[in-house]
Amino acid sequence: MFVNSATTFVADALRGLVASTADIAWHADPGFLTRKEPLKSGRVALLSGGGSGHEPMHAGFIGAGMLTGVCPGLVFTSPNALQVHEASRAVSVGGGVLHIVKNYTGDVMNFSIARELLHEYGIESDHVLVDDDVASERADGDGPGRRGTAATVIVEKVCGAAAERGDTLGAVASVGRRVAENSRSMAVAVSPCTLPGASEPSFDLPEGEIELGIGIHGERGTERVPAMPAQDLVATLTQPVIDSLGLERGESVIAFVNGLGATHPMELQLLYGELAEFLSDKGILIARPLVGSLVTALNMGGVSITLVRVDDEILELFDAPTDAPAWPNVSAGNDSILPERGGFGPSFSPTETGSVRDEFISAWMASWVERVLAEEPSLTDLDRRAGDGDFGTNMVAALGQVDLAAIRDSYSARTIFEAVSDSYLGNAGGTSGALFGIWFRQFYNSLTTVDLANIAAAARGGLDKITELGGARTGDKTMVDAIAPAVEALEGAADLGEGLRAAAAAAHEGVRSTEHLTANRGRASYVGDAAKGVVDPGALVIAWFFEAASDAH
């Protein structure tokens, strides 16, 4: 992989994108892209985004007739809530802002927080949730549900055309939801991807085997089977899609064969030929074909098949013109000055809270931050075995921006927690960025004085917020499995020292319990029993948090 540095990979790629595309502007703080030419007043603005590594989705679909703006996260990591909020304000021209969101926990959470913030500014907003991946569909309806994958770009195309013709926010959202509800996808990998800077692929795949039911974040699939001829593979991928949609003879679809990054166009055309024959045999009509690598997973070798049930209006909007460069259209190069190098994300400016310095809080948090940063390789390895391998990177993205010297020597107790919270919300992105950011925000809000009652109240408030936002409960193999018993230990203690010791012990016991659980929330839920035998890395970081508090007291 061509890189200057793993830490600047996304920013360096965006630099080239802006330089090579005429109608795209980069806003470095907190980091989002918009059309250079604003919309007409009163029009609906379309904002999408997600982890980088899926290019040309989403940035390649900025343009007239498609997206107004895009929030890129770090590789395979959702954008943070501040990015989405500021981008929404930037693209708003009075007609409301529509968020197109893939059904991954971090994306859903951060876009949701952004819409809450927009409400404070009087900006009308709505969203379309794309959840097309049948591999993560559960018959019992449990878990996070179908992931949002390749159908996202078709939703963006149809919504973009509806907004371009002047539809209201409600009308654009309605047609987008209709497309999403009538879309299903299934994917397979023949070779895993490798993240920038990583020495190993995201999972191991022996020669002669393929991984069915993979997502677009480098995570493992739901089933590993021997390689098979393309004709059989297309049938294996497509039949679950047909079943989930309930497609019947005589119905019409958009048929989309999508490459995942390292699949040659000849392979995609071969697979489309097999798909066309398979659908013909089923009596299902292809109203529009779409073949290409539009929704990728870095350099993964693989393909997804998407079917979208259509009606006359959806086809009319799908056919409407767009100058988004990746639809595909040929676009003139950008003759503006080459953007400067560098990353994106807000810097922290401490707010005086009125609380005094507290040596205990300083020692506690400095020790915890140092440990998490030092343990990044082990956290990455844990997440690689249970999820998609980005957890350690997200921890470093947040805590690497924290001023450790100020935590030790100058920040007040509340300002320490404010700094850590803002760094997670503004730099980490993803599920972990949102959840850890909200967790530390409760300590900032509650610690008017440093005592057992306030620390217990902060921990309880953090637990309540996390369960409200993410839906996880004890036993779902998430950070909640460490937080919940720690909160109970704090609330049952007689003094602070006893409470912290008990909380640390309870949190570590909660971590141990996750080793044998099947995840129902978070990225580990997508790999099912494959995550058994691995403790949850988020729970482990929480246990370190309480352990550091106990040691510092």
Side-chain angles (χ1 to χ4, degrees):
M1 181 177 289
F2 298 105
V3 297
N4 292 316
S5 163
T7 58
T8 65
F9 178 73
V10 173
D12 291 346
L14 288 170
R15 181 170 173 264
L17 170 73
V18 174
S20 64
T21 311
D23 188 24
I24 291 183
W26 171 241
H27 308 265
D29 186 1
F32 57 89
L33 298 153
T34 65
R35 292 187 61 190
K36 291 175 71 175
E37 296 296 325
L39 298 176
K40 294 178 181 179
S41 178
R43 288 291 176 91
V44 174
L46 262 63
L47 186 74
S48 193
S52 295
H54 307 308
E55 287 68 21
M57 185 181 78
H58 297 276
F61 302 119
I62 296 176
M66 283 195 77
L67 299 176
T68 320
V70 161
C71 294
L74 299 174
V75 172
F76 297 165
T77 302
S78 79
N80 62 65
L82 298 182
Q83 281 177 274
V84 180
H85 172 60
E86 292 299 330
S88 299
R89 291 180 61 196
V91 299
S92 174
V93 290
V97 179
L98 181 68
H99 292 164
I100 298 175
V101 186
K102 299 184 298 301
N103 189 29
Y104 278 91
T105 307
D107 295 67
V108 172
M109 196 174 299
N110 282 290
F111 274 87
S112 175
I113 292 172
R115 287 193 298 279
E116 287 189 26
L117 298 176
L118 287 175
H119 182 72
E120 298 175 8
Y121 285 81
I123 296 175
E124 188 180 6
S125 63
D126 204 341
H127 75 290
V128 174
L129 184 69
V130 185
D131 58 347
D132 55 307
D133 181 24
V134 299
S136 51
E137 186 174 61
R138 293 192 184 182
D140 60 7
D142 204 358
R146 295 186 300 267
R147 294 172 286 204
T149 59
T152 307
V153 296
I154 299 177
V155 173
E156 291 172 350
K157 176 65 185 69
V158 170
C159 287
E164 186 73 16
R165 73 183 180 185
D167 287 10
T168 64
L169 177 61
V172 177
S174 178
V175 74
R177 292 188 185 112
R178 197 160 83 241
V179 174
E181 289 164 3
N182 285 282
S183 300
R184 297 290 188 274
S185 301
M186 182 78 165
V188 63
V190 297
S191 62
C193 63
T194 301
L195 274 65
S199 59
E200 296 180 349
S202 56
F203 58 86
D204 298 318
L205 187 57
E207 187 73 24
E209 295 187 345
I210 59 176
E211 195 85 6
L212 290 174
I214 53 96
I216 56 173
H217 290 96
E219 66 267 52
R220 290 178 56 180
T222 55
E223 185 180 5
R224 183 167 293 177
V225 300
M228 63 185 76
Q231 184 179 46
D232 297 337
L233 179 60
V234 166
T236 300
L237 295 176
T238 309
Q239 191 59 54
V241 171
I242 292 173
D243 293 342
S244 181
L245 279 174
L247 283 171
E248 299 179 352
R249 298 184 71 87
E251 290 196 275
S252 296
V253 298
I254 296 169
F256 179 18
V257 174
N258 173 65
L260 293 175
T263 308
H264 195 276
M266 290 183 70
E267 296 176 90
L268 299 180
Q269 294 292 356
L270 182 155
L271 292 165
Y272 181 80
E274 298 297 341
L275 176 62
E277 182 174 351
F278 184 80
L279 293 177
S280 177
D281 290 344
K282 297 284 184 181
I284 297 169
L285 308 176
I286 298 179
R288 298 291 185 275
L290 185 60
V291 182
S293 296
L294 303 185
V295 183
T296 63
L298 284 175
N299 56 354
M300 179 176 281
V303 67
S304 62
I305 288 177
T306 300
L307 300 181
V308 183
R309 179 189 280 112
V310 294
D311 54 35
D312 289 344
E313 183 185 25
I314 289 173
L315 284 179
E316 178 186 347
L317 294 168
F318 184 81
D319 291 340
T322 176
D323 62 12
W327 188 237
N329 287 300
V330 177
S331 178
N334 191 339
D335 58 4
S336 62
I337 298 172
L338 188 70
E340 294 182 2
R341 298 180 184 275
F344 55 87
S347 57
F348 173 71
S349 299
T351 303
E352 265 316 310
T353 61
S355 62
V356 296
R357 273 191 45 71
D358 187 284
E359 297 299 329
F360 158 57
I361 297 293
S362 297
W364 169 12
M365 290 302 292
S367 171
W368 177 77
V369 169
E370 287 179 325
R371 181 170 188 180
V372 175
L373 291 174
E375 294 283 357
E376 182 273 331
S378 63
L379 293 172
T380 296
D381 181 63
L382 283 174
D383 196 41
R384 179 175 170 269
R385 288 188 282 154
D388 58 9
D390 69 347
F391 182 78
T393 304
N394 284 333
M395 293 295 104
V396 172
L399 298 181
Q401 305 301 314
V402 172
D403 189 340
L404 265 172
I407 287 178
R408 290 192 187 94
D409 302 327
S410 61
Y411 282 171
S412 68
R414 289 186 66 206
T415 300
I416 289 171
F417 288 109
E418 180 190 18
V420 174
S421 173
D422 280 7
S423 196
Y424 271 110
L425 290 174
N427 293 292
T431 304
S432 56
L435 294 180
F436 276 89
I438 289 296
W439 166 255
F440 286 110
R441 185 64 58 176
Q442 306 316 304
F443 285 81
Y444 162 66
N445 288 331
S446 297
L447 283 189
T448 51
T449 58
V450 179
D451 55 28
L452 175 61
N454 280 328
I455 289 176
R460 170 61 68 181
L463 174 62
D464 291 344
K465 281 288 186 182
I466 286 169
T467 54
E468 176 187 343
L469 281 170
R473 298 292 186 271
T474 302
D476 282 343
K477 197 181 178 81
T478 70
M479 61 196 295
V480 170
D481 288 295
I483 294 175
V487 169
E488 291 179 3
L490 286 170
E491 291 175 339
D495 59 63
L496 182 56
E498 174 194 333
L500 294 175
R501 289 189 296 273
H508 274 292
E509 185 60 35
V511 172
R512 285 189 286 273
S513 75
T514 66
E515 183 175 0
H516 304 294
L517 294 173
T518 298
N520 285 317
R521 297 285 171 178
R523 293 268 171 84
S525 66
Y526 301 131
V527 301
D529 287 344
K532 280 190 173 180
V534 182
V535 299
D536 181 73
L540 184 59
V541 168
I542 288 294
W544 291 344
F545 172 76
F546 286 110
E547 182 181 347
S550 179
D551 291 345
H553 189 262

